[in-house]
Amino acid sequence: MVNSESPYKRAMDGPSRQLLWELGRLQLLEREAFQARLDRESKEKEVVHKAALAAAAAHHENIRREADAVRQREVLQMQEDEQRRLETLEAEVEQLRRANAEREVAKKKREAEIAQRIKDEKAEEFRALAEIEEKHRRLAKEKADAEAAKQAAKQAIAKQEADLRTAEANRKAKEAASVPQAASPVVVQVVSKKESPKIPQVSESRRPSVLDTDVSPVNRAEHVKYLSIHQRSKDLRKWMADQYSHDASMKEHMGDMRRTIRKCIGQLTDQKGANSASLRQIRDTLLKAVSISNLQIDVTEFIAYPLPNMTNTKAPACLIFQLIHFAKIVIAQLCDEASRNPKVAEPIGTIASQIFSYPEFQLNGISFIDILFAKFHIVCPLLFGVYCQDLTTKGRVKMGWRKDGDEGAYVTEARHFDRMAGLGAGFASLTTRNYDKSKFNNPCPPYHFWRAVAAIVNIPPIQVTRSHLIVLRAMISRNQVRIVELFGDAGRLLLRKALVELPTLVEEAKRKTDPVHLGEAKEVAVLTSVTEVQNRMFL
């Protein structure tokens, strides 16, 4: 039977065409079956994938809901923690406020006590000054009475001698009238007693005077006393030069000692432990001066407040001579080196304090530090309450301005201010040493530092000069912690007076009249912030 759907059925003449048709039919069926299987598998996979996607979406939704719940719990916890933190902070702030209020009350009480104590001390000082002035008036009256009695005695003797001469002349006239021969004249010789050699005394024309210096009466008397010590030091230097002018070997020996001291002080550094050799060499040099005891002098004139009824007042002149040069070299080093590098002032002040603390360089336990203080009274009188306008020649002399040579012009302002800074830093180093662990006594206790700062702080603000502010800044800079360690709460009050109140008063007083001072006052005030930041010390 011929299949009309196949073209091969028309060829009945061979079996190969029949076979070819069957093979084509089989291939077509296989292709259709394969395609149906692929469609079925694809639909099955699609169902599986959609089910997996639905499961994943459900899982992700569950995770999202759980995360949202966790987030809400965390937010609630954070809000509760923040609320507790704010409540704790408010409680701490309230506690600090109460503590600050209590501290302020205690501070005002301490300030009142300190003010009362200072008032009492000033009253005591004025009382002592009144007693001293009364004593001086009494001594002056006694001296005037003695001088008047002496003059009266001289006048009586002169009158008696005149009467005797008149009587003698009358007698001779009568004898000449009775006897015509002239008597031979009588020659009277007066031999003055020869005095032993002394150190030249200070003449009245050369005696220092600060009667017109603006300084408190107590400081005025002390200032005059130290100026006299400085003049005596100059006289001793000249006298020693005359004594050894004909002894070449001793003159050379004295010069070698001075050069050794100058070299050792010039080698001082601010490195810890690096100055031991210099200190030892200076001490050995001064011990050599002690051994030269052929010239002994009365040294009470080099001590501002000698003890009454001192039995031994003699000391080798060579020792005092070398101590004078030591003080002179210390001051020169502070003016030169410490003015450029204030850190150098620390070892210089330390060495100077140690040298004057050694018992072998003292008299009956009394230090000769007054020789060095006398130099400070000359080169930096601001430390002792001296103030005036330094625009005139007279004012500059009072305020310690230096000249370039004896007859030269005054140094520039920049150089003068550098000198004042070096001297202020050196004086602070000298007077803030702690001898609690030392076997020697402190030759310049810290109350000298307190008095110097108080002398500047108590100057009327309108009279405060740039020099005062520069010296004050140099004294306090890098010493804030030491000041509080030495004076406690009183030291804090001192810092507040110097760094907060004084600059404010100076700015108010000189804002219109002298604006140049505002910069220096602000630089002093800046130390307040430095103190609070570096040392965590709030003023």
Side-chain angles (χ1 to χ4, degrees):
M1 182 175 179
V2 180
N3 190 354
S4 60
E5 295 178 356
S6 175
Y8 303 108
K9 291 296 183 179
R10 292 191 299 266
M12 299 300 295
D13 53 341
S16 57
R17 287 191 178 272
Q18 184 67 28
L19 180 60
L20 179 62
W21 182 85
E22 292 294 340
L23 288 174
R25 183 66 180 172
L26 180 61
Q27 185 177 9
L28 182 61
L29 292 174
E30 290 178 354
R31 184 180 295 111
E32 290 176 353
F34 177 75
Q35 189 65 37
R37 188 174 67 253
L38 286 178
D39 292 340
R40 186 175 59 256
E41 291 177 355
S42 177
K43 288 181 180 181
E44 292 175 352
K45 288 182 179 180
E46 181 180 359
V47 172
V48 172
H49 288 166
K50 286 183 178 181
L53 289 175
H59 180 67
H60 290 164
E61 180 63 22
N62 291 334
I63 292 175
R64 187 192 66 78
R65 284 197 299 270
E66 292 177 358
D68 188 62
V70 171
R71 182 186 65 80
Q72 291 179 358
R73 289 196 300 271
E74 290 295 328
V75 169
L76 182 60
Q77 184 66 32
M78 291 175 62
Q79 290 176 351
E80 293 176 354
D81 293 343
E82 181 67 16
Q83 183 65 26
R84 285 195 296 270
R85 188 185 68 81
L86 291 177
E87 292 175 355
T88 304
L89 184 61
E90 289 178 357
E92 292 177 354
V93 169
E94 180 63 21
Q95 184 178 0
L96 287 176
R97 187 189 63 79
R98 288 196 301 269
N100 288 334
E102 295 174 357
R103 188 161 51 247
E104 188 67 23
V105 171
K107 180 179 178 182
K108 290 182 179 179
K109 183 178 178 181
R110 287 195 303 270
E111 289 178 354
E113 293 175 352
I114 293 172
Q116 183 63 35
R117 186 164 64 250
I118 293 174
K119 183 179 179 181
D120 296 340
E121 290 177 356
K122 286 186 177 180
E124 182 65 22
E125 289 179 356
F126 281 111
R127 186 188 63 78
L129 176 63
E131 292 179 356
I132 293 173
E133 290 180 348
E134 179 63 25
K135 183 179 179 180
H136 286 175
R137 282 195 297 269
R138 187 171 63 254
L139 293 176
K141 186 176 182 301
E142 292 175 357
K143 184 178 179 181
D145 293 341
E147 188 68 24
K150 185 178 178 181
Q151 292 295 332
K154 286 183 178 180
Q155 292 177 0
I157 293 173
K159 185 176 182 299
Q160 186 178 3
E161 290 178 352
D163 294 341
L164 291 175
R165 284 195 298 270
T166 303
E168 183 68 19
N170 293 334
R171 186 183 62 80
K172 288 181 179 181
K174 290 180 180 180
E175 290 179 355
S178 61
V179 181
Q181 294 180 356
S184 60
V186 180
V187 179
V188 180
Q189 296 180 353
V190 180
V191 180
S192 63
K193 184 178 179 181
K194 185 177 181 182
E195 297 181 353
S196 59
K198 289 184 178 181
I199 302 175
Q201 297 294 328
V202 183
S203 63
E204 292 298 329
S205 61
R206 296 169 56 201
R207 191 174 298 277
S209 175
V210 290
L211 297 179
D212 54 350
T213 302
D214 296 321
V215 61
S216 66
V218 176
N219 292 344
R220 182 192 301 261
E222 186 176 277
H223 190 50
V224 172
K225 186 175 295 186
Y226 278 102
L227 293 181
S228 299
I229 292 176
H230 180 262
Q231 185 60 51
R232 293 294 297 160
S233 300
K234 294 176 66 176
D235 294 337
L236 178 63
R237 287 166 50 197
K238 295 179 181 179
W239 182 73
M240 289 290 291
D242 294 338
Q243 293 296 315
Y244 292 112
S245 60
H246 303 295
D247 190 344
S249 61
M250 182 57 69
K251 185 177 181 181
E252 181 66 22
H253 186 50
M254 301 281 283
D256 290 341
M257 287 192 284
R258 292 199 308 273
R259 284 186 287 272
T260 300
I261 294 174
R262 182 181 293 107
K263 178 197 69 175
C264 293
I265 294 179
Q267 292 174 346
L268 298 179
T269 64
D270 56 348
Q271 297 179 359
K272 187 176 181 179
N275 301 318
S276 300
S278 298
L279 174 62
R280 185 168 54 253
Q281 195 168 359
I282 294 174
R283 185 178 185 181
D284 294 341
T285 302
L286 292 176
L287 287 175
K288 293 179 182 177
V290 174
S291 64
I292 304 175
S293 57
N294 58 334
L295 288 178
Q296 297 280 332
I297 61 172
D298 184 2
V299 294
T300 55
E301 296 177 341
F302 299 95
I303 300 175
Y305 299 100
L307 296 177
N309 302 323
M310 292 177 62
T311 57
N312 180 22
T313 62
K314 301 291 184 181
C318 184
L319 171 63
I320 306 301
F321 178 71
Q322 295 299 337
L323 287 177
I324 292 171
H325 278 283
F326 174 75
K328 185 178 180 181
I329 295 169
V330 166
I331 294 295
Q333 197 73 3
L334 291 176
C335 293
D336 294 336
E337 296 296 331
S339 63
R340 294 190 292 267
N341 181 13
K343 292 183 179 179
V344 180
E346 186 69 17
I348 296 176
T350 303
I351 293 297
S353 178
Q354 288 180 297
I355 289 296
F356 283 105
S357 70
Y358 292 140
E360 52 265 32
F361 307 140
Q362 297 179 352
L363 176 69
N364 300 330
I366 301 177
S367 168
F368 291 109
I369 193 69
D370 290 334
I371 294 174
L372 180 57
F373 278 168
K375 290 291 294 181
F376 273 107
H377 274 266
I378 291 293
V379 298
C380 193
L382 292 71
L383 294 166
F384 310 98
V386 176
Y387 63 89
C388 65
Q389 294 301 321
D390 52 4
L391 301 179
T392 63
T393 301
K394 189 176 181 181
R396 290 193 169 187
V397 171
K398 294 180 185 179
M399 297 289 281
W401 280 69
R402 185 181 179 182
K403 285 186 176 181
D404 287 331
D406 295 336
E407 301 297 334
Y410 287 100
V411 297
T412 62
E413 282 192 351
R415 179 56 185 149
H416 169 70
F417 294 148
D418 287 344
R419 283 168 48 84
M420 292 296 105
L423 292 169
F427 188 83
S429 173
L430 180 68
T431 54
T432 55
R433 307 258 61 86
N434 190 345
Y435 275 67
D436 290 344
K437 298 181 181 179
S438 175
K439 62 181 179 180
F440 304 122
N441 294 326
N442 192 344
C444 41
Y447 71 81
H448 289 286
F449 177 86
W450 179 282
R451 289 185 61 190
V453 176
I456 297 177
V457 171
N458 291 328
I459 294 174
I462 195 64
Q463 297 290 345
V464 175
T465 64
R466 295 180 66 188
S467 299
H468 289 102
L469 297 173
I470 289 172
V471 170
L472 183 64
R473 182 182 62 190
M475 291 177 66
I476 296 178
S477 180
R478 293 181 299 277
N479 291 318
Q480 297 94 323
V481 175
R482 189 182 301 174
I483 292 171
V484 175
E485 290 175 352
L486 290 172
F487 303 108
D489 290 337
R492 289 179 179 271
L493 178 61
L494 182 72
L495 291 175
R496 179 173 179 81
K497 288 284 186 182
L499 303 182
V500 179
E501 297 182 8
L502 179 65
T504 302
L505 294 175
V506 172
E507 287 185 16
E508 293 176 355
K510 299 201 174 186
R511 189 175 301 277
K512 295 181 180 179
T513 60
D514 193 3
V516 177
H517 287 75
L518 298 181
E520 299 297 339
K522 291 178 180 178
E523 289 187 14
V524 174
V526 165
L527 288 179
T528 305
S529 302
V530 174
T531 302
E532 294 176 350
V533 172
Q534 292 183 352
N535 306 313
R536 297 182 180 179
M537 186 189 306
F538 297 97
L539 304 178

